[in-house]
Amino acid sequence: MTKMTGKWCTEVYRDTALSFKIKKKLYSKRSKYQMVEVWKTEKHGNMMALDGCYMVSTAEEFVYHDMLTHVPMFSHPDPQDILVIGGGDGGTVRELIKHKGVKSIDFVDIDEDVYTVSKKYFPGLVKGIEQDKRVHFKFGDGIKFVKEAKNRYDVILIDGTDPSDIAGGLFSQEFFSDVKDALKADGIMAMQSEDPHYDSDIIRNVQHRLKKLFKEVDLYLAFMPIYPSGMWSFSYASKKYDPRVIRNTKSKIKKFSYYTPEVHKAAFALPQFVKDRIK
Ligand code: SPD
């Protein structure tokens, strides 16, 4: 739930609230699927919330998008065919197009309004993606899309919202099984899997479900100031590749904003309380 009180916007997450000082509200409208809001903040650039939860801010989005994208992309030796489920703001696809070896990116988000709003208020997030012939926009139900794909992708990235009504299915055993079938024999999937302080039960369930299906399953962390608790997790699963090894030499990206090869490896070092909670 987000509230606007005077000069602040606030995400209320259970018994915790996280506020940012705002200059003004830029957008507020219910799409067919969810409430979409955008504020101009004092210090974080523009900020978007979906159904009351912050998703992206101009100043900090690079943390999340670098880590969701580049960790799996560098764990694979030669990722060519990619699927993104969710990520309607465009940030994940923007990072993917930096990878030279990529041949095709299927971009499937259920809510086209999120893309339209992002294009208007977050032009940096969609930079270059419409001009890139490798990107195939397929607005629609990602769960259905994955069910119909078999043995097609090297990497699947799941950039969903929190597991509420609209995104709940993206955390289910059935969906993970369909993701496994949609991946090639050495495919990799990575997804946002919530935060270890407030939602370790969600992480534990995701990890447990993935372990039933994949040989290599792991968890990595990044520090995302606009999400409650600031510590964010990503779940990784592969039929073949241990994510602690960087194999990709084809992508040729010179500089990132958050990701480095050292951060890639260090992100898998989990604090003891996280290990305990996800057991
Ligand atoms: N509680 C925030 C969860 C955010 C997950 N998705 C962010 C979308 C960025 N592309």
Side-chain angles (χ1 to χ4, degrees):
M1 170 176 64
T2 42
K3 288 181 179 168
M4 209 177 96
T5 331
K7 290 272 176 221
W8 299 84
C9 64
T10 300
E11 174 179 335
V12 178
Y13 192 71
R14 300 192 187 144
D15 60 353
T16 303
L18 179 60
S19 299
F20 295 95
K21 199 162 192 188
I22 55 164
K23 288 188 173 152
K24 61 177 171 176
K25 189 152 206 168
L26 296 172
Y27 184 88
S28 177
K29 201 171 167 189
R30 181 164 289 283
S31 73
K32 192 173 162 199
Y33 301 97
Q34 56 204 337
M35 189 66 196
V36 183
E37 294 167 285
V38 181
W39 300 270
K40 186 177 179 62
T41 72
E42 287 283 351
K43 297 270 188 239
H44 301 262
N46 289 352
M47 169 90 71
M48 186 196 292
L50 297 179
D51 274 348
C53 296
Y54 300 131
M55 292 291 132
V56 286
S57 57
T58 316
E60 289 90 2
E61 54 84 12
F62 68 94
V63 176
Y64 177 98
H65 292 123
D66 264 29
M67 291 303 276
L68 175 62
T69 307
H70 301 308
V71 170
M73 289 297 284
F74 279 95
S75 300
H76 194 288
D78 187 15
Q80 298 187 1
D81 297 309
I82 319 295
L83 170 63
V84 179
I85 302 286
D89 53 68
T92 297
V93 175
R94 178 202 63 200
E95 289 308 306
L96 281 169
I97 63 174
K98 295 179 180 171
H99 289 260
K100 301 273 181 290
V102 165
K103 296 211 166 113
S104 155
I105 302 166
D106 286 341
F107 176 18
V108 186
D109 192 288
I110 199 161
D111 195 345
E112 192 166 353
D113 286 5
V114 173
Y115 183 76
T116 309
V117 168
S118 187
K119 211 169 145 175
K120 177 157 185 200
Y121 297 107
F122 299 86
L125 281 172
V126 303
K127 200 171 166 205
I129 74 178
E130 281 183 28
Q131 299 72 27
D132 195 313
K133 296 272 180 304
R134 298 172 298 171
V135 179
H136 313 293
F137 289 81
K138 295 172 187 289
F139 293 105
D141 184 345
I143 295 178
K144 239 161 117 185
F145 187 91
V146 167
K147 208 174 255 316
E148 283 151 22
K150 301 285 171 231
N151 196 28
R152 197 191 298 173
Y153 298 104
D154 298 302
V155 172
I156 298 181
L157 302 180
I158 300 152
D159 185 5
T161 53
D162 304 285
S164 57
D165 298 349
I166 178 173
L170 300 178
F171 292 76
S172 72
Q173 186 74 60
E174 186 182 348
F175 175 66
F176 294 152
S177 172
D178 293 337
V179 166
K180 183 184 177 192
D181 293 344
L183 285 168
K184 296 179 191 170
D186 63 346
I188 293 174
M189 72 85 95
M191 65 182 285
Q192 78 85 2
S193 52
E194 305 291 308
D195 93 278
H197 284 282
Y198 305 143
D199 273 322
S200 52
D201 51 334
I202 295 176
I203 304 176
R204 193 170 47 248
N205 286 338
V206 166
Q207 291 274 308
H208 178 74
R209 287 170 191 161
L210 292 173
K211 280 179 183 158
K212 287 188 184 163
L213 298 164
F214 292 91
K215 183 171 163 267
E216 299 287 342
V217 175
D218 222 320
L219 187 79
Y220 60 100
L221 302 175
F223 297 89
M224 190 50 185
I226 67 157
Y227 298 160
S229 108
M231 181 186 260
W232 207 252
S233 85
F234 301 87
S235 285
Y236 170 102
S238 171
K239 301 179 183 181
K240 184 167 177 185
Y241 300 120
D242 168 357
R244 292 157 198 249
V245 180
I246 296 171
R247 297 174 187 81
N248 178 349
T249 53
K250 317 245 172 186
S251 285
K252 315 272 182 229
I253 305 173
K254 288 205 178 74
K255 199 169 176 291
F256 304 89
S257 301
Y258 188 90
Y259 180 91
T260 67
E262 295 77 22
V263 165
H264 178 132
K265 291 180 187 162
F268 290 91
L270 302 179
Q272 188 59 47
F273 86 93
V274 180
K275 290 186 189 178
D276 291 344
R277 288 186 187 182
I278 64 167
K279 251 188 215 148

